[in-house]
Amino acid sequence: MSFKVSKKYLVIFLVLILGLVFLNLFPKPAKALENFIFKVFSPVQKIFIRTGNKISDFFQILISIKDLNKENAELKQKNSDLEAQLTQLKEIEKENETLRTALNFAPKNTSLYEIASVVGKNIQGTEEWILIDKGTDDGVEKNMAIISEEFFLVGKVIEPNKDFSKVMLITDKNSLVAALIENRRNEGLVQKEEGSDKIFLDFIPKTEKVEIGEKILTSGMDNIFPRGILIGKAESVDSSENQLFQKITISPAVDFNKLEQVFILKNK
Amino acid sequence: MTKTIKIILSISLILFFQIGIFPHLKIFGVYPNLILISIIALGILRGFKETLIWAIIGGLFLDFYSFNSIFGISLICLIVVSFVAFFIVQNIFKKTNSSSVALIFLITVTLYDLLLLVFYKILGIEFEFTFVKLIINVFYNAIIAMPVFYALKKLFPSRNI
């Protein structure tokens, strides 16, 4: 067995290490190059992301073709329920507006939504994040909340660059979201389960009998995510004796693999 | 110069596939790393000297599309594994076949994951590690690596194999 590494390679390796140390100490050139690469690649990446989603949808349709009729009927029912709810909400909004005028209240500070396209994704599998095509030049700041087109919680901005921002998904191991169970108002924290891909709601007392399918919403207590954004639904409840609180596994409302466009909530 | 541009374009194409297609192949929270697989395959097929520039460009892309606070970790790991792949071919498996290629992929992907883990530990970067996930990741990458290897073998015929 021969083990010879020529001097030339050692020099290249050393120069590389020194270069990397320099780029970490003075990150501006690396950030500028990163921004440039994202800018050049993002149009093609969008096409690949869309194509990937279409291929995935096609195979999912093939797999679930049997259940389509049932699902269709369920969706029709859901749609009419939602329409009814919408009408009610419009009425409430009107009433609210009238009361505001009567009481001379200033309108509630509404958030600014900015649409952004997903132009990149985590490629190493160690972290859960996406890249969006809006950055500091568009007014994006660290910790701004990101929601899907359907207004479901996606994550928060963690690394804003000039024209792009990296968004940490709620499925990342470092993500923490203050949340509550709809109608119950018990508050807890949503985080990733260690060693699995699932997210769960923690700190809910065992005395609360949580039903499967109950909605988990943001509580707004973390001052990052506004109150009332849907995170997902309770998938399973673990209230084993060796735990202080029950552990509610959540099935996220968003399919993170298929995100193409998101909203940035500019008003934190 | 044109060679470098060709390499950049090829790795960009691999990156687009990695971003657009591979996240849909997620199994137990892991999906193959096409850039890593391709660099190891080139290390086996074309040797370290030719693979070095691929590893540098591929590593840069991996670092840009990672969440690390330290830039260059993937680049160094990629260079090391491409060298190890070449070293094994040169010194251990003089006559390579499908099983030896699969074994090289198993060894080098494991090495890549462990190197990342060591770097993360040393530099204090939070990293979620489970043994089961490592095993799934290594075998999943090795399985996907085989067709990728034979496709690349047609594009970049080996001098040794």
Side-chain angles (χ1 to χ4, degrees), chain B residues 79-121:
Chain B
I79 291 175
V80 173
V81 292
S82 64
F83 175 75
V84 171
F86 165 69
F87 179 80
I88 296 173
V89 171
Q90 287 292 301
N91 296 286
I92 300 169
F93 299 121
K94 298 247 160 102
K95 278 183 184 172
T96 47
N97 51 33
S98 303
S99 20
S100 55
V101 169
L103 194 63
I104 296 171
F105 276 111
L106 286 173
I107 294 168
T108 46
V109 175
T110 311
L111 179 69
Y112 181 81
D113 282 356
L114 292 178
L115 277 174
L116 274 185
L117 179 72
V118 170
F119 269 117
Y120 287 172
K121 280 269 177 212

Side-chain angles (χ1 to χ4, degrees), chain A residues 180-186 214-217:
Chain A
L180 50 81
I181 305 169
E182 194 189 36
N183 301 327
R184 289 177 187 270
R185 318 325 274 179
N186 289 97
E214 281 196 73
K215 286 178 183 169
I216 318 288
L217 313 170

